[in-house]
Amino acid sequence: MTALEQMGQRAKEASRALNSLQEKKNDGLLAIAKALRERMAEILAHNETDLQNGKANGMTDSLMDRLRLTPERITGMAHGVEQIAGMTDPVGEVLEGKRLPNGLRIEKVRVPLGVIGIIYEARPNVTADAAALCLKAGNTVILRGGKEAFHSNQCITTVMREAIESVGLPSDCIQLVQDTSRESARELMGLTAYLDVLIPRGGAGLIRSVVENSRVPVIQTGAGNCHVYVDAYADVDMAANIIFNAKTQRPSVCNAIETILVHKDIAERALPVIAAKLKEKNVELRGCEKTRAILPEAKPATEDDWATEYLDYILAVKVVDSIEEAMEHIARYSTGHSECIVTENYTNANRFTEQVDCAAVYVNASTRFTDGGAFGMGAEIGISTQKLHARGPMGLAQLTSTKFIVRGSGQIRA
Amino acid sequence: MTALEQMGQRAKEASRALNSLQEKKNDGLLAIAKALRERMAEILAHNETDLQNGKANGMTDSLMDRLRLTPERITGMAHGVEQIAGMTDPVGEVLEGKRLPNGLRIEKVRVPLGVIGIIYEARPNVTADAAALCLKAGNTVILRGGKEAFHSNQCITTVMREAIESVGLPSDCIQLVQDTSRESARELMGLTAYLDVLIPRGGAGLIRSVVENSRVPVIQTGAGNCHVYVDAYADVDMAANIIFNAKTQRPSVCNAIETILVHKDIAERALPVIAAKLKEKNVELRGCEKTRAILPEAKPATEDDWATEYLDYILAVKVVDSIEEAMEHIARYSTGHSECIVTENYTNANRFTEQVDCAAVYVNASTRFTDGGAFGMGAEIGISTQKLHARGPMGLAQLTSTKFIVRGSGQIRA
């Protein structure tokens, strides 16, 4: 047995034990939060080791910033865990139930998924956040973080394991893969005997690699090539505000927009207003020919621009002849994350919401709302862009499965 | 582009078109049922070709029986399609919704999955059944049946395509893969650009092959190594009746049982009653040593017996010291399908239902009830033994995804 298989076996055993210790989950979460605050100095010291290694290896400033923990960030992590403790327990919820004509009583009940694997990059805050969400939903977790954050992750994991053990939960509810090589990631993706699901959290490259290589079922999160379509019947100022917010409020995230599609009948009126607003943040525009006839300052857009998730202050702009053309463009280039129409036309609003195939479709609101917190679901583990199991922001309920419980009095099948 | 990629592209286009033709789905289903009845002679003639080929290739009698269509079976297929037409449409159901404090109105709505691939064996009735379920749930389907049934499948598919076209639906809502080689199955498992999900229907070998090789998300159905645990507090006659029913009513199906676990305190009293009942159908018993001390006629069971899905008149028998030992045995050997405890003890019933991890867990009733029809869900496409997306009998709702629709009045994120 490899080290990872042993870890898988321990996670599975802890998962069975956790099944009859559900009432201790919140004690465990509160103990984690307390320990994160109390052992802050220790965590910061280990993080310092990672930061120094990063510096020595020429890590970029933005990666260093993701890696860095501060007292405020650790307090934020602890606070996040406390919030998760305060959320309603999804396990045990009876989703439906009935009495069958033969007297059988049947219930569909929420149960934990079992063992969840999380593969992520150099963000140590994910360590506490993901572990807490998995535990709250009754699952055990195998964490596999990036090698750049190994000392931080190791320390946070130790703190969490000791905390849950102190309240009587198995420490193996939370485990960290010790080997941060590519091989360990690959082995994790094949651990079908122990893992019920694998969730990658990170950039597009990580997610693609997991989706393509994993034999364990994956929940795909993240990639967002999102659009705003400005209909012929749009309120121009509203369109400009929504586009400005969806592009510039936080360009690096998946629910930010990358392309706008503008109906030809409104383009001459709307494009200058939109461009003026985007100029406040120096957004670079890349337009089709019709766009450039109206906005000569836009660079010419190529085929690549329609397919690119810039995650930056760049926006592609296309003038379309009809709502059909807009929806066809979206069907072709969208990653199925968040799509928006700005319109005052009742029929067009309905057509767009019905026909555009994505996790979240908006009428007259910024795509930036696609997020567990904004949707009122509490903490989220990611935003699923797949259609099976979970679609859109994934909260605690999406970290569970279901089970039918059937109670009888000797019924047999005729 | 390969033939299969072209098929995928047509399925995707048909899926988009179907989105705005939802109100014609039932017309299409009723047209299919009518056409199956009217063109029965044509279907039987093509089936005869398959049967003659099968005979020439030395096909076994039981496979020939699965392959054979009769007027009654075709009428049954048509009737099944009419029943599906009569079921409630899952698409468009609003699952939840609320108004957020910022005035956004958010709804979670059921939508079709998109394009579904079905890989199955030489059962031509699956062709109509699977296509009808997929269509009712708003999906288009790519069918890939076994080569032994190719002429039958081809004829049934043509009948269905012409029928749905006659009511204004795209014929490409239903397509049959023309190449029945292993390569075509393998290519289908990699068609991630077009297929939203792949569902294998058939024996354990087919399912394993799809689960191991598919890069398209798979819903795993079927395998059932199911148990009945006879608790120390069981009603012995009830236990014998449930075991007899769960083993012998239809031994070849996944919800039949393969092993019974009997508490040591009741074994001497219960085993002779159970054995006498099973003798009516000449069920072969394979027991542990303690079992054989009570039932000397039982053959000795080996480690393999605990892991085998016999699908035959054979039953493994083990005497256990406690409910814990029974649950540990189940955790080790169960395929997570259906598990049963027979007991009059309240606490043991609750422990078993809470701690045994499977799709359907029973107290005092036969495992044979795990089925869409028996659970009151109507037609089913299979019984999922996985934990993601769907678990247990899969009806129309399990052939759908969801979408968030967010309606605003210009909201932007602060």
Side-chain angles (χ1 to χ4, degrees):
Chain A
M1 249 193 182
T2 67
L4 216 52
E5 283 170 336
Q6 286 172 18
M7 194 171 264
Q9 197 171 48
R10 288 196 300 268
K12 200 107 194 154
E13 278 163 19
S15 160
R16 282 192 63 206
L18 184 56
N19 232 331
S20 40
L21 295 167
Q22 295 285 314
E23 71 284 3
K24 295 202 168 169
K25 293 186 301 191
N26 283 345
D27 294 345
L29 291 168
L30 294 175
I32 287 174
K34 187 156 169 275
L36 287 171
R37 294 180 206 267
E38 285 176 358
R39 296 172 71 174
M40 191 177 281
E42 192 182 333
I43 298 170
L44 288 172
H46 284 87
N47 184 243
E48 188 56 35
T49 308
D50 285 330
L51 288 168
Q52 284 177 3
N53 290 343
K55 208 171 194 176
N57 294 322
M59 190 182 263
T60 65
D61 285 353
S62 75
L63 282 180
M64 287 287 272
D65 180 58
R66 290 182 180 194
L67 177 56
R68 179 170 291 112
L69 292 175
T70 60
E72 293 68 35
R73 287 184 177 182
I74 295 175
T75 304
M77 280 161 59
H79 186 62
V81 175
E82 283 160 351
Q83 283 189 312
I84 292 167
M87 289 168 72
T88 304
D89 190 343
V91 175
E93 187 187 357
V94 180
L95 297 170
E96 47 191 82
K98 61 189 159 198
R99 190 179 174 285
L100 298 177
N102 62 8
L104 283 179
R105 286 178 296 132
I106 176 170
E107 279 177 359
K108 187 175 176 181
V109 177
R110 255 193 219 297
V111 297
L113 277 169
V115 183
I116 298 181
I118 311 271
I119 296 193
Y120 56 108
E121 293 169 334
R123 300 187 86 133
N125 61 315
V126 172
T127 308
D129 183 46
L133 283 165
C134 290
L135 181 61
K136 178 78 188 198
N139 303 292
T140 63
V141 67
I142 295 180
L143 301 159
R144 198 276 186 194
K147 66 174 186 299
E148 300 81 0
F150 180 72
H151 295 93
S152 313
N153 291 339
Q154 174 77 338
C155 181
I156 294 167
T157 303
T158 303
V159 167
M160 293 194 292
R161 284 169 60 91
E162 292 175 10
I164 59 174
E165 200 163 28
S166 75
V167 305
L169 289 172
S171 58
D172 286 335
C173 289
I174 303 172
Q175 296 182 87
L176 179 74
V177 176
Q178 298 294 309
D179 170 2
T180 57
S181 69
R182 271 174 191 277
E183 286 66 41
S184 79
R186 201 163 282 269
E187 194 188 340
L188 202 61
M189 296 182 211
L191 215 61
T192 51
Y194 305 106
L195 284 184
D196 291 294
V197 60
L198 193 56
I199 304 176
R201 283 182 73 169
L206 171 74
I207 290 164
R208 197 165 43 241
S209 155
V210 174
V211 168
E212 282 180 8
N213 295 306
S214 182
R215 285 169 49 226
V216 174
V218 171
I219 296 178
Q220 187 170 354
T221 60
N225 188 13
C226 306
H227 303 75
V228 168
Y229 164 57
V230 182
D231 189 39
Y233 305 93
D235 174 322
V236 168
D237 288 330
M238 184 193 287
N241 281 333
I242 287 174
I243 290 165
F244 180 76
N245 183 260
K247 177 73 258 180
T248 70
Q249 199 243 353
R250 203 168 159 206
S252 64
V253 292
C254 56
N255 58 20
I257 59 166
E258 310 297 352
T259 296
I260 61 169
L261 305 163
V262 182
H263 193 283
K264 66 172 171 26
D265 292 350
I266 204 171
E268 282 194 46
R269 198 149 55 84
L271 280 176
V273 179
I274 294 165
K277 184 86 185 155
L278 291 169
K279 206 157 186 195
E280 292 175 22
K281 295 269 187 180
N282 289 316
V283 175
E284 176 186 324
L285 300 180
R286 301 191 186 169
C288 66
E289 281 191 26
K290 288 176 192 163
T291 301
R292 296 183 67 232
I294 301 167
L295 300 176
E297 71 271 29
K299 295 185 181 172
T302 66
E303 174 68 21
D304 270 359
D305 285 299
W306 311 132
T308 301
E309 193 182 354
Y310 300 117
L311 300 173
D312 202 349
Y313 290 91
I314 305 172
L315 183 69
V317 186
K318 186 179 170 109
V319 173
V320 293
D321 287 344
S322 61
I323 183 173
E324 286 77 22
E325 189 187 341
M327 294 196 296
E328 268 160 36
H329 181 99
I330 290 170
R332 183 153 173 200
Y333 297 103
S334 164
T335 53
H337 193 298
S338 301
E339 304 294 343
C340 170
I341 181 173
V342 182
T343 191
E344 294 300 319
N345 181 289
Y346 173 83
T347 300
N348 286 357
N350 286 344
R351 286 181 67 191
F352 193 87
T353 54
E354 274 173 23
Q355 288 179 39
V356 170
D357 188 24
C358 62
V361 58
Y362 290 82
V363 182
N364 295 350
S366 170
T367 56
R368 286 281 294 115
F369 287 107
T370 306
D371 150 325
F375 276 15
M377 299 163 73
E380 70 172 31
I381 197 137
I383 295 167
S384 163
T385 52
Q386 68 183 34
K387 291 187 186 175
L388 285 187
H389 186 67
R391 197 179 196 197
M394 290 177 58
L396 290 171
Q398 284 69 43
L399 294 179
T400 65
S401 181
T402 58
K403 172 202 271 188
F404 287 101
I405 298 180
V406 186
R407 295 184 176 89
S409 49
Q411 282 85 348
I412 58 173
R413 190 142 175 204
Chain B
M1 250 195 180
T2 67
L4 216 52
E5 284 170 336
Q6 287 172 17
M7 195 173 263
Q9 196 172 49
R10 288 197 301 267
K12 200 109 193 154
E13 278 163 20
S15 161
R16 283 192 62 208
L18 185 57
N19 232 331
S20 39
L21 295 167
Q22 296 285 315
E23 72 283 2
K24 294 201 170 172
K25 293 186 301 191
N26 284 344
D27 294 346
L29 291 168
L30 294 175
I32 287 173
K34 186 155 171 274
L36 288 172
R37 293 181 207 267
E38 286 175 359
R39 296 172 72 173
M40 191 177 282
E42 192 181 334
I43 297 169
L44 288 171
H46 283 86
N47 184 242
E48 188 56 35
T49 308
D50 285 329
L51 289 169
Q52 283 177 4
N53 290 343
K55 208 171 192 176
N57 294 324
M59 188 181 266
T60 65
D61 284 353
S62 75
L63 281 179
M64 286 288 272
D65 180 58
R66 289 183 178 192
L67 178 56
R68 179 171 290 113
L69 292 175
T70 61
E72 292 69 36
R73 286 185 177 180
I74 296 176
T75 304
M77 280 161 56
H79 186 62
V81 175
E82 282 160 352
Q83 283 187 311
I84 291 167
M87 290 168 71
T88 304
D89 190 342
V91 176
E93 187 188 355
V94 181
L95 297 170
E96 48 191 79
K98 62 189 158 198
R99 191 180 173 284
L100 298 177
N102 62 7
L104 284 178
R105 285 177 299 133
I106 176 170
E107 281 176 359
K108 187 175 176 181
V109 178
R110 255 193 218 298
V111 297
L113 278 169
V115 182
I116 298 181
I118 312 271
I119 297 194
Y120 56 109
E121 295 171 332
R123 300 187 84 135
N125 60 314
V126 172
T127 308
D129 183 46
L133 283 165
C134 290
L135 181 61
K136 178 80 189 198
N139 303 291
T140 63
V141 67
I142 296 180
L143 300 159
R144 198 279 188 189
K147 67 174 185 299
E148 301 81 0
F150 180 71
H151 295 92
S152 313
N153 291 339
Q154 173 77 339
C155 181
I156 294 167
T157 304
T158 303
V159 167
M160 292 193 293
R161 284 169 59 93
E162 291 175 12
I164 60 175
E165 199 162 29
S166 75
V167 304
L169 289 171
S171 57
D172 286 334
C173 288
I174 304 172
Q175 296 183 86
L176 179 74
V177 177
Q178 299 293 308
D179 170 2
T180 56
S181 68
R182 270 172 193 278
E183 287 66 44
S184 79
R186 199 163 283 268
E187 193 187 340
L188 203 60
M189 296 182 212
L191 215 61
T192 50
Y194 304 107
L195 284 185
D196 291 293
V197 59
L198 193 56
I199 304 176
R201 284 182 72 169
L206 170 74
I207 290 164
R208 196 165 43 241
S209 155
V210 174
V211 168
E212 283 180 7
N213 295 305
S214 182
R215 286 170 47 226
V216 175
V218 170
I219 296 179
Q220 187 169 355
T221 60
N225 189 14
C226 306
H227 304 74
V228 169
Y229 164 58
V230 182
D231 190 39
Y233 305 94
D235 174 323
V236 168
D237 288 330
M238 186 193 284
N241 281 331
I242 286 173
I243 290 166
F244 180 76
N245 182 260
K247 178 73 258 183
T248 71
Q249 199 241 354
R250 203 169 160 205
S252 64
V253 293
C254 57
N255 57 21
I257 58 165
E258 311 296 352
T259 296
I260 61 169
L261 305 163
V262 183
H263 193 282
K264 67 173 170 26
D265 292 350
I266 202 172
E268 282 194 45
R269 197 150 56 84
L271 281 176
V273 180
I274 294 165
K277 183 86 184 158
L278 290 169
K279 207 160 184 197
E280 291 175 22
K281 294 270 188 180
N282 290 314
V283 175
E284 177 185 323
L285 300 180
R286 301 190 185 170
C288 66
E289 281 190 26
K290 289 177 191 163
T291 301
R292 296 183 67 231
I294 302 167
L295 300 175
E297 70 271 30
K299 296 185 181 170
T302 66
E303 174 68 22
D304 270 358
D305 285 300
W306 311 132
T308 301
E309 193 182 353
Y310 301 116
L311 300 172
D312 203 348
Y313 291 92
I314 305 171
L315 183 68
V317 186
K318 185 177 172 112
V319 173
V320 293
D321 287 346
S322 61
I323 184 173
E324 286 75 22
E325 188 186 341
M327 293 196 298
E328 268 160 36
H329 182 99
I330 290 170
R332 181 149 175 206
Y333 296 104
S334 164
T335 53
H337 193 296
S338 300
E339 304 294 343
C340 170
I341 182 173
V342 182
T343 192
E344 294 300 319
N345 181 288
Y346 174 83
T347 300
N348 287 356
N350 286 345
R351 288 180 65 190
F352 194 88
T353 55
E354 274 173 22
Q355 289 180 37
V356 171
D357 188 25
C358 62
V361 58
Y362 290 82
V363 182
N364 295 351
S366 171
T367 55
R368 286 281 294 114
F369 287 108
T370 307
D371 147 329
F375 277 14
M377 299 164 71
E380 69 172 31
I381 198 137
I383 295 167
S384 163
T385 52
Q386 69 184 34
K387 291 188 186 172
L388 285 187
H389 185 67
R391 197 179 197 198
M394 291 178 55
L396 290 170
Q398 284 69 42
L399 294 178
T400 64
S401 181
T402 59
K403 172 202 273 187
F404 287 101
I405 298 180
V406 187
R407 294 183 178 89
S409 49
Q411 282 85 346
I412 58 173
R413 191 142 175 203

